[in-house]
């Protein structure tokens, strides 16, 4: 999951008519990926410099540099004149350790041969059809499918954990200055409220 702090950016379209995502994001920054592995006490953090500001290119770079996994990522979004989204989608293809050079070449040929992702989406291709087109010639098997939904994994208990990590002095300072302590999730904007007493109990 991710979020955009400043979503309202107006830039002229590129010469091919596509949105200038790279121009909006810029290149002077880093891509940070935090993996919350339940089996580890601390999350795993990977960070790489941005290469172009184009999200798919930067994700591909992250996997190549930070995780050393050859990856092809494609993203596309088609926006209506009223700024609503007409179609959006993406794909992520990664090589397993035993993949040979022939597989890599076939995948590269497929990616270069296919039309843009937005063209495939607006032509009515399903996610399965796009996946099979990307993997044509590799004898793919569909193992599973699931509906994509936005679901934030924040909770009151996790928010308590965040507050507890502040330390005794900061918690006491917060509890003494506010009658109601509100913590807003940065991703879904859900607000969790705590009383000063609940905050003080976290100091223990």
């Amino acid at each position: 999951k991710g979020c955009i702090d400043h979503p309202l950016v107006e830039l002229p379209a590129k010469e091919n008519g596509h949105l200038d995502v790279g121009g909006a994001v810029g290149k002077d920054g880093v891509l940070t990926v935090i993996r919350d592995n339940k089996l580890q006490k601390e999350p795993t953090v990977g960070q790489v410099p941005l290469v172009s500001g184009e999200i798919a290119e930067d994700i591909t770079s992250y996997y190549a540099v930070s995780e050393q996994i050859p990856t092809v990522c494609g993203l596309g979004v088609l926006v209506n004149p009223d700024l609503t989204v007409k179609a959006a989608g993406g794909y992520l293809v990664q090589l397993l350790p035993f993949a040979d050079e022939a597989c890599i070449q076939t995948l590269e040929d497929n990616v270069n041969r296919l039309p843009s992702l937005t063209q495939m989406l607006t032509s009515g291709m399903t996610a399965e059809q796009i996946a099979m087109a990307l993997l044509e010639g590799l004898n793919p098997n569909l193992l599973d499918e699931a509906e994509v939904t936005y679901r934030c994994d924040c909770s009151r208990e996790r928010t308590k954990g965040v507050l507890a990590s502040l330390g005794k002095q900061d918690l006491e300072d917060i509890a003494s200055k506010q009658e109601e302590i509100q913590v807003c999730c940065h991703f879904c904007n859900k607000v969790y409220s705590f009383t000063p007493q609940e905050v003080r109990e976290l100091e223990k």
Side-chain angles (χ1 to χ4, degrees):
K1 61 184 179 181
C3 63
I4 301 174
D5 288 330
H6 306 288
L8 299 179
V9 178
E10 291 190 22
L11 290 174
K14 296 191 288 188
E15 292 183 1
N16 59 9
H18 293 175
L19 296 173
D20 187 8
V21 177
V25 174
K27 300 179 183 179
D28 185 18
V30 295
L31 171 62
T32 302
V33 177
I34 303 173
R35 291 178 178 271
D36 189 2
N37 188 335
K38 305 300 182 185
L39 301 177
Q40 296 175 300
K41 290 185 177 181
E42 298 295 331
T44 301
V45 181
Q47 191 175 79
V48 296
L50 297 180
V51 294
S52 69
E54 294 290 339
I55 297 172
E57 293 179 13
D58 288 320
I59 289 175
T60 299
S61 172
Y62 165 78
Y63 278 108
V65 175
S66 182
E67 302 196 10
Q68 289 82 50
I69 301 176
T71 302
V72 176
C73 179
L75 300 172
V77 59
L78 190 62
V79 179
N80 291 314
D82 62 356
L83 300 183
T84 58
V85 176
K86 182 176 182 180
Y91 59 80
L92 188 73
V93 182
Q94 295 184 319
L95 295 178
L96 292 172
F98 54 77
D100 57 30
E101 290 296 324
C103 292
I104 298 174
Q105 187 60 54
T106 299
L107 181 58
E108 289 180 349
D109 291 342
N110 290 344
V111 170
N112 293 329
R113 172 180 52 83
L114 290 172
S116 69
L117 188 56
T118 50
Q119 286 179 290
M120 290 191 283
L121 290 170
T122 53
S123 69
M125 289 180 69
T126 64
E128 180 180 343
Q129 289 171 331
I130 293 173
M132 292 302 172
L134 286 164
L135 301 175
E136 185 177 340
L138 299 175
N139 300 318
N141 294 312
L142 181 62
L143 300 179
D144 195 11
E145 57 184 318
E147 183 178 351
V148 177
T149 59
Y150 181 84
R151 182 180 70 253
C152 188
D153 58 355
C154 70
S155 67
R156 185 174 179 82
E157 286 305 310
R158 293 189 69 164
T159 306
K160 279 185 178 180
V162 172
L163 283 172
S165 68
L166 295 178
K168 185 175 181 178
Q169 184 59 48
D170 288 336
L171 287 173
E172 179 57 38
D173 188 51
I174 292 172
S176 64
K177 292 181 179 179
Q178 302 179 46
E179 294 182 1
E180 181 183 44
I181 295 89
Q182 293 187 334
V183 181
C184 180
C185 175
H186 190 59
F187 294 98
C188 69
N189 294 324
K190 186 173 182 178
V191 177
Y192 296 93
S193 298
F194 300 89
T195 65
Q197 180 58 33
E198 288 175 315
V199 170
R200 288 191 173 98
E201 289 176 355
L202 297 174
E203 299 175 12
K204 300 175 182 178

